[in-house]
Amino acid sequence: MKATLLLHTALRHFAQHGYEGASLQEIAQDVGIKKPSIYAHFRGKDELFLSAMTYALDTQKIHLATYFISTRHLSLEQSLKGFFEWFLEESTQNDQLKFILRISYFPPVKLEREVTDLINPFFDSLHRHLTRLLRERDRTEQLLFSDDYASAALAYLTVTEGTMTEFVYNGVEAYQRRFTAVWPIFWRGLVR
Amino acid sequence: MKATLLLHTALRHFAQHGYEGASLQEIAQDVGIKKPSIYAHFRGKDELFLSAMTYALDTQKIHLATYFISTRHLSLEQSLKGFFEWFLEESTQNDQLKFILRISYFPPVKLEREVTDLINPFFDSLHRHLTRLLRERDRTEQLLFSDDYASAALAYLTVTEGTMTEFVYNGVEAYQRRFTAVWPIFWRGLVR
DNA sequence: GTTCACCTTCCTAACGGTCGTTAGTTAACA
DNA sequence: TGTTAACTAACGACCGTTAGGAAGGTGAAC
């Protein structure tokens, strides 16, 4: 009970202050316990961080996948485009995604290896999932310009991340401004 | 002399470890002086950070502008596309760009306001510069699909940042993979 | 049904270490 | 003579971590 609360609180602090900037003192205070009590649940700061990370990746991996599954009945464009809005709505209350974005780009130096080993499978899985989605959809809808689905998926990921990180730092308006600007161009380049 | 050396060294440390993660001790050691000697040049860590930031923004603002000026004789596509390669080459030895990217997305919490006030004009200026470039080029080349040059510039910035941040974290290969994937699609969506 | 050992979870106190910062001093230089 | 830039020493604050103990629950032994 307190352990998962610790996980969630730590997640939020790491997302906002980074690994070095987050303090066990403040995390414990947010949870409502004293700092040393954290050690009843985790070996130390490293384990807390890596546990939070594993937890966030596992949860969000499923979470992202279910979005694309739940929009199977929509057109490909609606599904891909809608993902941006869905993600925006998610992120306003989903600290895990912010956390993942932050530590993906700027992992703590001393845990770089461990972070990479956890993150890479996550994005690889997302990439594979998208590639498969594009291939399957194109078989029925036949609207993509190129059949290099892996590249298309990677391009899509690049555009989403470019706008998402904008959201993390500059907020909703900047995010939507970017999306409005980039989507028509990207989609026009993607289809026949 | 030592002051600018401090600025450069601090820049590198902040880029690699973030504000909280960077230590004055290590910065001083890299420069070859003792930690308190920093205070002969800067009021403290905050001023060192903000000075480094101002310096980096000023330098890179000019640096980015000169690229687009120096490629005036090339086609628009060559100029825009070449920027990615240019940036890649730059970034391998240009800590200032890495620094700017990092603190743009994840500024130190306690200096968030100051960072935003410095960063926003930088990106605004870049955006305006690109918008003007697109408008001027399109007057002669007439190859863009839409005349909403501001949106086109913003979309271009989104794509560049999406790939650039990929470079910061995942290195050259990932960067080039992304660029190869996203550029044909983006360009196809941009022109008639 | 009571007792006893054990484990979990929290606590207080304190550790060694590093942090950014300040005071006070010295040598070089204008 | 005053200023600059470096130094040593030391400050208080906070860092992550450990030791040791109190409270509560669980479960087996009697």
Side-chain angles (χ1 to χ4, degrees):
Chain A
M1 187 66 64
K2 276 276 169 64
T4 61
L5 181 57
L6 260 172
L7 231 45
H8 281 94
T9 308
L11 214 49
R12 228 176 46 242
H13 281 252
F14 285 133
Q16 196 171 5
H17 303 95
Y19 177 83
E20 289 93 350
S23 132
L24 293 186
Q25 169 96 296
E26 292 180 15
I27 293 172
Q29 193 171 312
D30 258 27
V31 170
I33 60 176
K34 301 296 176 186
K35 184 173 58 163
S37 304
I38 294 177
Y39 289 75
H41 304 275
F42 301 94
R43 283 179 179 281
K45 195 180 188 182
D46 290 8
E47 195 186 285
L48 178 60
F49 178 84
L50 292 174
S51 297
M53 189 171 159
T54 309
Y55 174 69
L57 288 176
D58 286 349
T59 310
Q60 295 309 307
K61 191 170 170 179
I62 296 171
H63 207 212
L64 293 174
T66 47
Y67 166 81
F68 288 108
I69 292 173
S70 75
T71 56
R72 273 234 162 109
H73 63 287
L74 298 177
S75 72
L76 180 58
E77 180 178 12
Q78 285 305 316
S79 179
L80 291 180
K81 193 178 168 182
F83 176 66
F84 284 81
E85 286 169 39
W86 175 86
F87 178 83
L88 178 61
E89 213 165 307
E90 277 304 304
S91 287
T92 54
Q93 49 196 7
N94 187 337
D95 299 311
Q96 298 182 15
L97 283 173
K98 291 193 210 178
F99 173 75
I100 292 173
L101 281 178
R102 173 162 201 159
I103 61 164
S104 297
Y105 291 126
F106 305 111
V109 181
K110 63 175 288 202
L111 295 177
E112 207 160 4
R113 170 82 60 83
E114 289 87 340
V115 168
T116 309
D117 290 349
L118 287 171
I119 286 277
N120 278 347
F122 176 78
F123 279 108
D124 286 352
S125 137
L126 190 58
H127 183 211
R128 274 199 310 276
H129 195 92
L130 271 169
T131 305
R132 196 171 56 243
L133 180 95
L134 290 176
R135 185 183 299 111
E136 285 173 8
R137 290 307 198 89
D138 200 40
R139 200 156 46 206
T140 60
E141 299 191 31
Q142 302 230 340
L143 42 68
L144 295 192
F145 176 72
S146 157
D147 64 350
D148 184 354
Y149 302 113
S151 287
L154 202 55
Y156 179 72
L157 276 176
T158 303
V159 172
T160 53
E161 283 175 37
T163 50
M164 282 169 186
T165 45
E166 182 72 7
F167 164 72
V168 172
Y169 176 55
N170 271 323
V172 178
E173 298 86 13
Y175 173 90
Q176 280 174 328
R177 228 179 302 132
R178 291 227 167 182
F179 173 70
T180 309
V182 79
W183 181 258
I185 295 172
F186 174 74
W187 182 251
R188 211 177 145 263
L190 199 63
V191 297
R192 291 167 189 263
Chain B
M1 188 62 66
K2 275 276 168 64
T4 61
L5 181 55
L6 260 172
L7 230 43
H8 281 94
T9 308
L11 214 50
R12 227 176 48 241
H13 281 252
F14 284 132
Q16 195 171 5
H17 301 96
Y19 177 82
E20 289 91 351
S23 134
L24 293 186
Q25 169 97 296
E26 292 179 16
I27 293 172
Q29 193 172 313
D30 257 28
V31 171
I33 60 176
K34 301 296 176 186
K35 182 173 58 161
S37 305
I38 294 178
Y39 288 75
H41 304 275
F42 301 94
R43 284 180 178 282
K45 195 181 188 182
D46 290 8
E47 195 185 286
L48 178 59
F49 178 83
L50 291 174
S51 296
M53 189 170 158
T54 308
Y55 174 69
L57 288 176
D58 286 349
T59 310
Q60 294 309 307
K61 191 171 169 178
I62 297 171
H63 207 213
L64 292 175
T66 47
Y67 166 81
F68 288 109
I69 292 173
S70 76
T71 56
R72 272 235 161 106
H73 63 286
L74 298 177
S75 72
L76 180 58
E77 180 178 12
Q78 284 306 317
S79 179
L80 292 179
K81 192 177 169 184
F83 176 64
F84 284 81
E85 286 169 40
W86 176 85
F87 179 84
L88 178 61
E89 212 165 309
E90 277 304 304
S91 288
T92 54
Q93 48 196 9
N94 186 339
D95 299 310
Q96 299 184 13
L97 283 174
K98 290 193 209 178
F99 173 75
I100 292 174
L101 282 178
R102 171 161 202 162
I103 62 165
S104 298
Y105 290 125
F106 305 109
V109 181
K110 62 173 289 201
L111 296 178
E112 208 161 4
R113 169 82 59 82
E114 290 86 339
V115 168
T116 309
D117 291 349
L118 286 171
I119 286 276
N120 278 347
F122 176 78
F123 278 109
D124 285 352
S125 136
L126 190 56
H127 183 211
R128 275 199 310 277
H129 194 92
L130 272 169
T131 305
R132 196 171 57 242
L133 180 95
L134 290 176
R135 184 183 300 112
E136 285 173 8
R137 290 305 197 88
D138 200 39
R139 201 156 44 207
T140 60
E141 297 191 33
Q142 301 228 343
L143 42 67
L144 294 193
F145 175 73
S146 157
D147 64 352
D148 184 355
Y149 302 114
S151 287
L154 202 56
Y156 178 72
L157 276 176
T158 304
V159 172
T160 52
E161 284 176 34
T163 49
M164 282 168 186
T165 46
E166 182 71 9
F167 164 71
V168 172
Y169 177 53
N170 270 325
V172 178
E173 298 86 13
Y175 173 90
Q176 280 173 328
R177 229 178 301 131
R178 291 226 167 184
F179 173 70
T180 309
V182 79
W183 181 257
I185 295 173
F186 175 75
W187 182 251
R188 213 179 144 260
L190 198 62
V191 298
R192 293 167 188 261

